[in-house]
Each structure stands twice: as C-alpha cells, then as structure tokens.
Amino acid sequence: MNAPANRLAAEKSPYLLQHAHNPVDWYPWGSEAFAKARREDKPIFLSVGYSTCHWCHVMAHESFENADTARIMNEHFVCVKLDREERPDVDRVYMTFVQATTGSGGWPMSVWLTPELEPFLGGTYFPPEDRYGRRGFPAVLNAIADAWKQDRAQIVEQGARVVAALREQAASTPDSTATAERTSADIVAGIDSLWTSFDRDWGGFGGAPKFPRPALLRFLARAAVRRDVSADDRHRAASMWLTTLRRMAMGGMHDHLGGGFHRYSVDAHWHVPHFEKMLYDQAQLALSYLEAIQFQPEPMFTSVVRDLLEYVRRDLTSPEGGFYCAEDADSLIEEGKAAHAEGAFYVWSEAEVEAALTPEEASAFCRHYSFRADGNAAPASDPQGEFTGKNILLEHCPASQIASEVDLPIARVLELLASARAKLFVLRNRRPRPHLDDKILVAWNGLMISAFARAATVLGDPAYLAQAERAAEFLRTRLYNSATTDLFRVYREGPGAIRGFADDYAFLIAGLLDLHEASGDERHLEWAEKLQARQDELFTEPGRPGYFNSEADDASVLVRMKEDHDGAEPAVTSVSVLNLIRLAAFTGKQAYRDEARRHAAGTVDSPARFVHSMPLMFAAQESLTREPATVVIAGPAADPQTIALRRAAAAVFLPDAILLLADGAAAQAGLARRHPHLEHVGPLDGKPAAFVCRGFTCLPPVTEPDRLAAVMNPE
C-alpha cells in the first residue's frame, strides 16, 4: 500500500511523481532541502534518476518503498530526489564525482553530500542486502550515519578536497596554440583506432553491452567521403558505419513491429536489448540512417527511417506537437497482474504467433524473425522465468532464403511478412503499455526536429517537414520568451520554471538550421541566430573556448562544468561548433566560422583517444579544413523542376554542403541580403537551375537533375 503523499506530489516530473508515495520524506532539489540540512546538521542523500530507468525502479521497489529502510533514511539524512533530465547540470557534477571515485557511473545515482552540497561518498544502485558484490543499502546508510557523527571533520575535509579537484578541472585552460583543424593523417589515425575495436561480424565497437554511438557513426560517415585519404581508409570507415547500421536494424534492439530503437544491447550481437526507448536515440539514429541513404541507398535504410519516424509521430508526439521523452523498459506481464518485467510488451511465444496468424503467415514470420519453440531470449530481469519460451524478433533469415526454401515468389513472402506484422502490431497494442515519460524537453525536441527536417529533405516527404514545423512552433510559443530570447527547458502540463541549459540552445539551433534548409523559411534562420547570441552570452566566458552546461549564477550548482564526451547525447560544444560552421555558411558571416575555430581548438587531443571520446567534435574539426559547398536552387518553390533539383541535391552525401532556395520571392530576398554575390541568381532560360558554389565562386548552372550529383561531387 502506498504511503501518504510526500513533497514530491507537488512536482510535475514523472520521475519525482513515481516517488510521491514512498515512505521516504523526499524533498525536491532546492533551497528548502538545503536549509533543513544546515539547520539539522544532517548530510544530504541525493538520489538521481529518470522515470524510464529500469534499475531506478528496482531500487525504488526494494528500498524506497520499504518502511524500515525509509525510517533509517528519514532519521539520519535529508533525502532529495532529482530528475536528471530536468537538471542535467546538477547530474553532471555529481556523476563526475561518482565516476572519479568509483570508476563507473550510471542511474540510479546515489550520492551523499555535506549540507554545503559537497559530495563525500557516491555510487549507483545499492541492493537491499549484501548482493552482487555490493553492500546492502541499509548497512551503507547506517555506516555513513555513524561516520557523520564520529568522524565529521574527515568527511567535510574529503568533500572539500573533491570539490577543489572538480573546480580545478573545470578551470583548466586549453593550449591556446592548438589548431582547430584535423589533417588527413589525423583522420586515418582515428580510423585505425576504431578499426582495432570494430566487431567485423556484428558491427559496433567492443563487446557487451553494445551501444549504438550515433556521434561516432557521424564521424565515420564523414571519413568515408574524405578525398585526401586513401580508398582503403574510406572503405574501412564506410564498412564500420554501414555494417553497424545494418546489424542494428536486423537485431533485437530494433523494434520490428512498432518502429524505432531500444536503448542498447546487453550482448555483443544486438540480440537482447535494454528495452527502454529514448527520444534522443530515435533522433540521432534517424540522422545516421538518412546519411547512409544519401551515401549508399538501400531499401533497409529507408524502411528503418520511415518506421522510426512513424513510431515517434504515433507514440511520442503530444497533441500540441512537441515530442515526449521516452517509453519505459518495464511493463506489466499481463493485465490485472502486479508483476512487471523488462521487455514484456515486446516478446512473443511461438504459440502466440501461430494463434494470431494463418499457418502460411506464421511459418514465414517465425523463420524470418528467428523464432524458437523454446524461445530465443531470457532477459536477466526475469528471475521467475516469465520469459521462458518467449522470442525477441531478430531479422536473420532473409525473405529471399525463405522464398527459396518454401518455393514461393519473394513478392509473396514479403506480402506474408507485412500482413503478419500488421496483425501482431494490433495484437501487441492490446497489451499493457510501458510507462510513457510525457515531459517535453527543448534539447531532445531540437534533435527530433533535425531528424524530421532532414527526412523531409532527403526523402522528399512534405509530411515530415510539417511535423518538424509544428514542433518548432510549439517550442516557440510555449517555451521561449521572445522579449529576452530565453528558453525554458521543460513542458509538462504547462511550461516549467527551469531555464534552458546550453544543450537546449545548441540542439534547438541545429534543428532550426535543418528546418531552414528543408523549407527555405527565413524565420527559422533568424530565430537560430537569436538563440546562438543568447547561448554565447549565457554559457561562455571571454577568452575561454567551449560551452558550460549551465549559467553562472546558480548557487545550487557546486561546479560549473563543460561536457567533454559525446555520449548518449552529443556534447554541447561539439554540436555548437557544427552549428557555427553552418551559420557562417547560411548567413555569409565569417565571424561565426572564427568562433567555431576558437571553440574547436579548446578540445584537441590525440586522434586515437579523441575519436572515441568526442567523435562529433572530431567531425567538426574535420569540417573546418575546407570551405563548405553551397547549392542554390533557383526557381519557384512549387515548380516540379525546382523540387526535382532539390531532391537530386539532397540525394548526394556531401556533409558540409548547404542547400539554399532562390525562389524569386521571400527566400530570394533573404538570400540576397545575406549573400550579395547571389542576389541575381535565377532560372536559366526560364528553367529552374542549380548553382554549386564554394566561397564566392560558382560552377556553371545545371538544369538537369541527373547531372547535378556529378557537379556537386566530382570524382
């Protein structure tokens, strides 16, 4: 039975609300909790997580819902809950501490702080009793409480030393003489380093668990088309990039019925996923597959993108047009039962499939998706054997092989598979759904706007452009103050009070630039410029490269830090450097490119190390070595020939190219204002034409779409 509501019941965060009826006397992060800790001279227990985190649920059920454990917590500590997605700046500080002191990190994150917010002990998940080589949580709580009473001076001193080290790290100044650009030798060194850890059979890097690393894939995509490295090196880069995309799409990390991708694979074969679905993964992987479509069109890549975007449109889009954060890994095993299990919504027994489909459909489906009568997976979170005989969909037997084995035309096999998927999708939707985190974060929405806008450009689908436009308008009207040019980070049942962080600005700017390129609408570029100016004002310091995560005046943030890793989400400075490069190209303002070079020079490391830690910055530094190509399509926007030329330009993978529209109307006026040398660009002999330019030099115009690719990317 739930305990009476605690202070978290007044919050909007789905994660905090999940703990609103714990017997723990939780406080949200803020001055009330800090004042209580100082007044009562108690340490703070800070618990950080997010609402779709599997192990957060486990620790909640085992410890935070336990009255005896809660009694210890309430007696000896001021207990604070924090949603890491709402406050990434606070999470970053204490995660750095946990990683530095324990060698690893993750969520739930458990950190003990002095009343002055200085950390002195940290970890992640703690079991309710000694288990997995970890001490039980009650024993840890009692030991810390005793130490606080008996050895306070040492604890306070330890916390002060940690904070001093964090501040020293944050204040370090990069080598001002470092170059921001990467040579071809650097690119090859990066390829060599990745090749040593590349899984030739299954794609991806290293062993289990295996993560998609879309930022790393974007570096490889750019290396695959760099002309000043050898054909062999380009081939290795392309092989790592495309093999990983193909294997992920075939494996269990890909939701073959509903579209989209789960968080990561617990094994090295993309077989058993960690089943949560995050918006930022959908956005970044959509971009990776769209670049693959441009580089080497394959039906699989297009199918993956369309299914992924349909999943986001259908299941992660609010009625107002913003995009929700995530779906949980866990769900009820069966309606009416209390038991939850990770992946219960997604797995199937062979008997379930055979009961739902015709014999012909079931045979093709079970062959294609590698079903076994005894099941092909048993998740680690299933100690009671609920998943015995269950299967995860794995696309390891191609339709052509099935057609050969059963002597059917391949078109018939594809028809059977499509029919089977449609039936099972309807049946699956009758199951208890995983929890939906319906927060709308500006940063992640910016990533998703990029994905829909790029899809509109590459696939030529106006519905994707409309989806991106709608999301951008939602953010503009609900989470943006046009008078101050400030963003607010989160929307749920109305806008929240948390001001935007650097990633909110950077990721939204990237989305707006993609939206401007897809639509030609000047408003998106103008808004991106305003946001860039505000981002520079709030999150940089004069003379120091790189962007801080948070503003300078928040007393609750112990150390103002910069992200130094392109992880599940790309680092702010990596994205910002790419934004500045593109802003320079779109506006003709060299100052943006100068700023990009300055920030990029602050994050230089040896290629072998840097390509693993900040591959997106590596890609940005690679972009600084040359002037971007500008492709101007001159003609009325609705003219079929203009549309055909835009589609032809978008079909070429030229990472630094930008696409501009000279439509003889509003877009033309903006183009002339920003690029005076293009003022008189227009149709040729009455026909829409494409002009490919670098710097202030343009090649002869092209009016035939099938010739444009050769002009843009000559061999």
Side-chain angles (χ1 to χ4, degrees):
M1 180 178 292
N2 284 339
N6 57 43
R7 291 169 185 80
L8 301 186
E11 298 295 309
K12 289 185 177 181
S13 158
Y15 176 63
L16 299 189
L17 290 172
Q18 286 173 348
H19 297 269
H21 290 276
N22 292 167
V24 179
D25 186 19
W26 290 116
Y27 285 75
W29 180 263
S31 58
E32 185 181 5
F34 309 153
K36 177 180 171 68
R38 289 190 293 269
R39 184 173 63 251
E40 299 183 6
D41 196 24
K42 287 181 177 179
I44 293 169
F45 170 65
L46 173 63
S47 178
V48 182
Y50 55 102
S51 80
T52 59
C53 163
H54 170 71
W55 285 101
C56 299
H57 302 330
V58 173
M59 191 167 176
H61 296 320
E62 292 176 341
S63 295
F64 304 147
E65 294 172 7
N66 183 287
D68 292 333
T69 302
R71 195 173 301 112
I72 301 171
M73 296 171 68
N74 295 338
E75 180 180 352
H76 298 294
F77 304 95
V78 174
C79 301
V80 175
K81 264 286 173 193
L82 182 80
D83 185 335
R84 67 165 295 264
E85 295 169 354
E86 286 193 334
R87 291 299 304 262
D89 55 337
V90 176
D91 174 71
R92 177 78 176 92
V93 171
Y94 296 113
M95 184 60 73
T96 301
F97 163 73
V98 171
Q99 290 170 331
T101 54
T102 70
S104 62
W107 299 276
M109 178 168 63
S110 305
V111 193
W112 285 265
L113 320 176
T114 69
E116 287 69 42
L117 309 183
E118 296 177 339
F120 59 87
L121 187 71
T124 53
Y125 163 79
F126 288 92
E129 64 275 323
D130 292 357
R131 187 195 302 166
Y132 315 126
R134 300 168 185 251
R135 290 188 69 189
F137 190 53
V140 171
L141 291 169
N142 283 320
I144 295 171
D146 289 343
W148 182 256
K149 293 173 184 175
Q150 298 168 12
D151 203 2
R152 173 87 54 88
Q154 183 176 340
I155 287 175
V156 171
E157 181 185 352
Q158 178 179 325
R161 282 201 309 269
V162 168
V163 172
L166 290 175
R167 285 180 173 146
E168 182 179 357
Q169 175 187 333
S172 61
T173 303
D175 179 4
S176 61
T177 64
T179 178
E181 299 175 358
R182 289 292 182 177
T183 66
S184 58
D186 291 335
I187 304 301
V188 172
I191 294 170
D192 287 341
S193 181
L194 293 173
W195 191 248
T196 61
S197 61
F198 176 60
D199 185 335
R200 313 288 202 276
D201 296 321
W202 292 98
F205 300 87
K210 190 173 278 184
F211 291 81
R213 297 295 309 274
L216 196 154
L217 298 179
R218 290 187 71 183
F219 163 76
L220 288 170
R222 282 144 187 77
V225 295
R226 179 140 175 166
R227 290 302 176 80
D228 58 352
V229 302
S230 71
D232 177 65
D233 291 323
R234 293 200 303 271
H235 174 76
R236 286 192 297 155
S239 175
M240 288 187 276
W241 168 33
L242 300 180
T243 299
T244 299
L245 290 179
R246 293 187 192 107
R247 284 298 196 176
M248 282 197 303
M250 293 163 63
M253 208 181 83
H254 178 207
D255 180 358
H256 296 272
L257 289 187
F261 286 85
H262 301 294
R263 179 75 274 274
Y264 62 86
S265 174
V266 302
D267 56 82
H269 305 147
W270 309 111
H271 183 158
V272 180
H274 176 45
F275 283 93
E276 69 181 322
K277 284 181 166 181
M278 307 301 296
L279 182 67
Y280 57 72
D281 283 324
Q282 314 313 316
Q284 293 178 92
L285 286 170
L287 292 174
S288 291
Y289 281 97
L290 285 164
E291 291 183 341
I293 291 168
Q294 292 176 295
F295 178 79
Q296 187 169 301
E298 295 181 14
M300 172 193 283
F301 296 155
T302 301
S303 174
V304 165
V305 170
R306 288 195 177 278
D307 289 349
L308 183 158
L309 295 179
E310 174 59 18
Y311 160 67
V312 172
R313 186 202 63 76
R314 182 187 65 238
D315 294 336
L316 292 184
T317 303
S318 74
E320 304 97 328
F323 302 116
Y324 297 137
C325 281
E327 286 193 296
D328 210 329
D330 296 10
S331 58
L332 287 171
I333 294 173
E334 189 176 329
E335 196 71 63
K337 290 188 177 180
H340 287 69
E342 183 181 353
F345 183 71
Y346 299 99
V347 296
W348 299 84
S349 70
E350 198 170 67
E352 286 176 304
V353 170
E354 290 172 347
L357 306 178
T358 68
E360 199 177 20
E361 288 170 337
S363 175
F365 187 88
C366 290
R367 286 176 188 233
H368 186 58
Y369 291 109
S370 307
F371 271 48
R372 297 199 322 237
D374 61 346
N376 66 22
S381 60
D382 181 36
Q384 305 305 316
E386 295 280 0
F387 280 22
T388 299
K390 299 288 188 177
N391 291 273
I392 294 168
L393 274 58
L394 307 167
E395 196 173 334
H396 290 165
C397 181
S400 58
Q401 181 179 332
I402 298 171
S404 175
E405 290 173 353
V406 300
D407 194 24
L408 282 176
I410 190 168
R412 175 58 180 161
V413 173
L414 293 173
E415 182 183 89
L416 290 169
L417 291 172
S419 173
R421 284 193 298 268
K423 290 179 180 179
L424 293 174
F425 177 72
V426 171
L427 188 61
R428 192 179 80 172
N429 280 344
R430 296 174 187 161
R431 296 174 173 177
R433 286 198 70 91
H435 157 72
L436 172 70
D437 187 318
D438 59 355
K439 293 194 311 296
I440 297 172
L441 297 179
V442 170
W444 298 3
N445 272 246
L447 293 173
M448 203 66 233
I449 288 168
S450 278
F452 273 107
R454 293 267 193 101
T457 301
V458 174
L459 301 179
D461 191 331
Y464 296 147
L465 178 59
Q467 196 80 41
E469 295 268 16
R470 188 165 173 247
E473 187 60 23
F474 171 84
L475 299 182
R476 184 195 292 268
T477 56
R478 305 298 179 88
L479 290 167
Y480 175 63
N481 183 329
S482 59
T484 63
T485 65
D486 285 328
L487 289 172
F488 291 87
R489 179 167 177 81
V490 61
Y491 184 97
R492 186 176 185 273
E493 300 174 352
I498 299 171
R499 288 164 60 89
F501 298 105
D503 62 339
D504 295 302
Y505 287 83
F507 297 178
L508 178 54
I509 290 166
L512 292 172
L513 294 178
D514 286 318
L515 196 46
H516 170 66
E517 188 167 33
S519 66
D521 191 332
E522 287 287 299
R523 292 183 312 139
H524 302 310
L525 183 56
E526 291 166 359
W527 190 20
E529 285 203 87
K530 289 178 182 177
L531 291 175
Q532 186 64 59
R534 189 61 169 152
Q535 180 188 340
D536 291 342
E537 181 182 352
L538 293 175
F539 303 106
T540 64
E541 286 184 353
R544 294 188 64 192
Y547 288 86
F548 291 99
N549 294 332
S550 58
E551 297 181 41
D553 57 357
D554 189 340
S556 73
V557 180
L558 201 61
V559 182
R560 197 178 183 213
M561 304 189 75
K562 299 173 184 175
E563 184 58 69
D564 58 358
H565 185 71
D566 292 319
E569 301 169 55
V572 167
T573 303
S574 301
V575 174
S576 297
V577 170
L578 286 169
N579 287 345
L580 289 163
I581 293 170
R582 296 183 73 203
L583 277 167
F586 278 122
T587 66
K589 298 176 183 177
Q590 181 63 32
Y592 284 130
R593 194 170 177 89
D594 293 340
E595 276 297 284
R597 184 171 284 105
R598 186 175 74 83
H599 288 301
T603 51
V604 174
D605 197 352
S606 73
R609 289 197 302 267
F610 200 60
V611 75
H612 291 276
S613 63
M614 294 193 76
L616 196 59
M617 177 60 81
F618 205 148
Q621 292 170 340
E622 188 267 344
S623 294
L624 286 167
T625 62
R626 59 186 174 276
E627 284 290 326
T630 301
V631 183
V632 184
I633 308 297
D639 190 302
Q641 184 71 358
T642 302
I643 295 170
L645 286 168
R646 284 178 63 86
R647 286 294 310 276
V652 178
F653 182 54
L654 198 59
D656 297 320
I658 63 165
L659 193 57
L660 300 175
L661 177 64
D663 62 353
Q668 182 95 33
L671 184 71
R673 187 170 64 254
R674 299 175 189 279
H675 302 274
H677 66 290
L678 298 176
E679 180 178 3
H680 301 296
V681 164
L684 187 66
D685 298 328
K687 294 181 180 180
F691 298 78
V692 180
C693 312
R694 284 192 184 271
F696 297 98
T697 303
C698 297
L699 298 173
V702 176
T703 56
E704 298 82 13
D706 57 358
R707 285 193 53 217
L708 182 54
V711 175
M712 287 178 62
N713 202 10
E715 291 295 334

